[in-house]
Amino acid sequence: MSPRRTVALVTLGCARNEVDSEELAGRLEADGWELVDDAADADVAVVNTCGFVEAAKKDSVDALLEANDLKGHGRTQAVVAVGCMAERYGKELAEALPEADAILGFDDYLDITDRLQNILAGGKHVSHAPRDRRKLLPLSPVERQRAAEDGAVATPGHGPAAGAAEVQEPAETPIADLPEGLAPVSGPRVLRRRLDDSPVASVKLASGCDRRCSFCAIPSFRGSFLSRRPSDVLNETRWLAEQGVREVMLVSENNTSYGKDLGDIRLLETLLPELAAVDGIERIRVSYLQPAEMRPGLIEVLTGTPKVVPYFDLSFQHSAPNVLRRMRRFGDTDRFLGLLEEIRAKAPEAGARSNFIVGFPGETEADLAELERFLTHARLDAIGVFGYSDEDGTEAATYQGKLDEDVVAERLAKISRLAEEMTAQRAEERVGSTVTVLVESIDEDEDGSVLGRADHQAPETDGITSLTGSLEGVKVGDLVEAKVVASEGVDLIAEQIGLAGSAAGVGA
């Protein structure tokens, strides 16, 4: 009997990419592949790339080159690129990076096993010519959903194309002969395999985006906005709870648009209480919210539903109206401050974060001062700041009024310093308050430090909370009530008061 082929998945970029990697892992394991953590132990290393900004693309190339260096020194025979950068550039990336044995686009995901087996056998894969994926589905959101269900286009997380052999019964029906821990959870026809045992996991609410921000290329390679059906999201959440997940984070390019292609723009307000009722799930977090699409009913649900944390990941990008209009976005400083005031009137301790672009073409000193005014008064818990750079194929890349690189760098440094000061100040405001912390790691080898996140802290982006006090018996996955006693930048130090919930052995 020949040994099983081994594969390692290396994931870069956002939480949406992490979900895509687990979908690929599910497909591969169902086809008999053995998943390994280290690329050096794998026959083939699959690098799930990010194509968002220049720095992320560089990280993706570096990861591919690092994996390529393993060839000839161990088990690794092939290195394959998937993900956003692979989809966005296709043949161009293959020509520029001959070290990669293949560049696979989203359309290759359904046949990932055949692709990898062919590559390991010495076959050559012809990389795709990139195309604008927004044009693959109808313009009407409702018609788009119907076309997607008919298999008109492959979309990660939404099931295979029509007629594919993988099509199964809906997820409510058990499917025999799947490896333990593998479930038909996304779709209803896509498999998913968890790649870690963290008590938090992301669930894809939708894919793509219909907004046309002038600086963003994501819709061109992720496609038009496409919601997943509520039953599919619920089934996946139930399965994750069975795997020991305590917190679910809903991800997409724009969660506030959820349901518009299903005939109900307020579908998220209905879905959230249902997700919160899933046995075993203790925290629901919603990411990627568009300020221009926030509505009173959604704010009410996000601030008033037990187990749904009052957390607002709002994509402001700037606050000067002239810059926002050039970005093809809406709002201004006072409207954004008003939105935050409305949220905090319902939930004073609500978490709020955002990202901002400085140095956008045509940005004046007055525009920058307006952004400073907003950041000074917004009391955001976490702030990401990026200097503008042209992105291939975007409208902004054609704009006049580009600022010199040194001016962009100077403004980036200035706003970053302000952001650091304001977020540290906001963390300090939380000293004396009581928080609920999800325990994510316990350092048993050294000082026994217990780290987790409070309700206002999203995974990997918004800081951590270090727990002190009598922590004997606390496990990864426990929810701990604690009083904040100090802050360090955006991070908190909190003393345990008691347990809010038990992990029932998660992470043990």
Side-chain angles (χ1 to χ4, degrees):
M1 180 178 177
S2 60
R4 294 175 72 188
R5 292 292 199 182
T6 57
V7 58
L9 285 147
V10 180
T11 307
L12 296 95
C14 65
R16 301 184 295 277
N17 253 18
E18 293 171 4
V19 177
D20 288 349
S21 284
E22 294 196 346
E23 176 188 324
L24 289 171
R27 293 179 188 275
L28 289 165
E29 186 164 86
D31 287 339
W33 290 76
E34 179 181 349
L35 300 169
V36 296
D37 295 330
D38 193 337
D41 298 327
D43 294 312
V44 56
V46 177
V47 180
N48 193 348
T49 61
C50 178
F52 179 41
V53 292
E54 202 60 40
K57 287 182 277 190
K58 182 182 183 303
D59 288 344
S60 296
V61 170
D62 289 345
L64 287 162
L65 293 176
E66 183 178 342
N68 182 70
D69 289 341
L70 297 173
K71 291 191 293 188
H73 300 286
R75 181 161 183 163
T76 309
Q77 301 173 50
V79 176
V80 173
V82 299
C84 290
M85 188 176 179
E87 174 63 40
R88 183 177 181 184
Y89 293 105
K91 286 183 177 179
E92 182 182 347
L93 180 60
E95 293 169 0
L97 196 69
E99 291 86 353
D101 295 280
I103 307 297
L104 304 183
F106 296 149
D107 292 337
D108 293 306
Y109 282 18
L110 177 63
D111 300 314
I112 187 68
T113 285
D114 290 342
R115 299 289 186 270
L116 298 189
Q117 287 177 338
N118 178 59
I119 292 161
L120 287 175
K124 296 296 183 182
H125 177 74
V126 178
S127 300
H128 66 284
R131 50 184 176 168
D132 189 339
R133 296 187 74 86
R134 291 171 295 191
K135 300 178 180 179
L136 301 183
L137 290 169
L139 185 63
S140 162
V142 174
E143 291 298 321
R144 181 188 309 158
Q145 182 70 221
R146 292 170 183 160
E149 290 181 353
D150 289 340
V153 60
T155 305
H158 291 261
E166 189 185 348
V167 174
Q168 307 278 5
E169 293 300 316
E172 292 88 341
T173 303
I175 295 178
D177 302 324
L178 291 177
E180 183 181 355
L182 192 67
V185 292
S186 321
R189 299 177 295 273
V190 176
L191 305 175
R192 178 172 179 176
R193 156 66 79 179
R194 295 212 68 205
L195 294 174
D196 61 38
D197 59 356
S198 169
V200 59
S202 296
V203 172
K204 190 178 290 188
L205 194 63
S207 294
C209 186
D210 286 343
R211 301 186 71 86
R212 294 295 181 264
C213 302
S214 63
F215 56 84
C216 184
I218 290 175
S220 66
F221 55 86
R222 276 288 184 179
S224 298
F225 186 84
L226 190 64
S227 300
R228 292 179 63 207
R229 291 196 172 273
S231 58
D232 300 332
V233 178
L234 275 166
N235 288 333
E236 185 165 354
T237 300
R238 292 186 185 111
W239 177 77
L240 288 169
E242 292 171 359
Q243 305 297 306
V245 169
R246 308 299 307 285
E247 175 180 334
V248 163
M249 183 167 72
L250 300 180
V251 299
S252 76
E253 279 72 23
N254 177 11
N255 281 333
T256 36
S257 283
Y258 179 68
K260 71 175 187 179
D261 50 334
L262 296 172
D264 185 0
I265 190 60
R266 294 175 177 80
L267 195 55
L268 185 56
E269 288 94 307
T270 303
L271 176 62
L272 285 172
E274 295 184 67
L275 292 172
V278 172
D279 190 30
I281 297 297
E282 296 297 333
R283 214 152 68 172
I284 304 289
R285 185 181 305 276
V286 184
S287 60
Y288 306 111
L289 301 169
Q290 285 291 340
E293 297 180 31
M294 291 299 293
R295 47 197 179 268
L298 180 56
I299 294 173
E300 188 72 38
V301 171
L302 288 171
T303 57
T305 306
K307 296 188 179 181
V308 176
V309 294
Y311 174 79
F312 292 81
D313 176 11
L314 294 160
S315 178
F316 289 124
Q317 302 299 341
H318 212 284
S319 72
N322 291 336
V323 175
L324 287 167
R325 300 307 176 268
R326 288 173 67 82
M327 289 179 168
R328 296 202 178 278
R329 297 177 67 85
F330 304 93
D332 55 49
T333 296
D334 293 331
R335 291 183 192 179
F336 292 163
L337 291 175
L339 173 59
L340 291 169
E341 183 178 352
E342 181 182 358
I343 290 167
R344 289 171 178 144
K346 296 181 179 297
E349 297 302 316
R353 79 167 327 273
S354 192
N355 293 324
F356 300 88
I357 299 172
V358 296
F360 194 79
E363 181 189 65
T364 65
E365 289 287 352
D367 293 329
L368 194 69
E370 187 68 2
L371 177 57
E372 291 179 89
R373 181 169 79 90
F374 174 71
L375 294 176
T376 301
H377 292 89
R379 297 170 60 226
L380 298 175
D381 292 280
I383 298 171
V385 186
F386 301 88
Y388 173 80
S389 62
D390 286 339
E391 278 296 312
D392 299 334
T394 62
E395 180 183 349
T398 68
Y399 283 177
Q400 300 296 312
K402 301 280 178 62
L403 303 183
D404 291 340
E405 289 185 6
D406 57 344
V407 174
V408 175
E410 179 183 340
R411 293 183 180 185
L412 174 61
K414 181 179 183 180
I415 297 300
S416 295
R417 287 193 298 269
L418 177 61
E420 184 176 345
E421 176 186 349
M422 300 313 300
T423 52
Q425 181 176 309
R426 176 60 177 147
E428 190 174 351
E429 290 178 16
R430 294 189 181 274
V431 174
S433 66
T434 299
V435 294
T436 302
V437 179
L438 176 66
V439 176
E440 292 193 311
S441 69
I442 300 175
D443 190 346
E444 298 178 352
D445 296 330
E446 297 183 10
D447 59 0
S449 60
V450 178
L451 303 178
R453 292 177 295 103
D455 286 352
H456 70 280
Q457 296 171 319
E460 300 182 4
T461 59
D462 299 348
I464 60 172
T465 298
S466 301
L467 289 170
T468 65
S470 178
L471 296 166
E472 185 176 354
V474 169
K475 304 180 295 297
V476 170
D478 279 346
L479 289 167
V480 175
E481 292 291 334
K483 181 178 180 179
V484 180
V485 296
S487 63
E488 296 179 353
V490 297
D491 298 331
L492 302 180
I493 300 172
E495 184 175 358
Q496 181 190 10
I497 297 172
L499 282 180
S502 173
V506 172

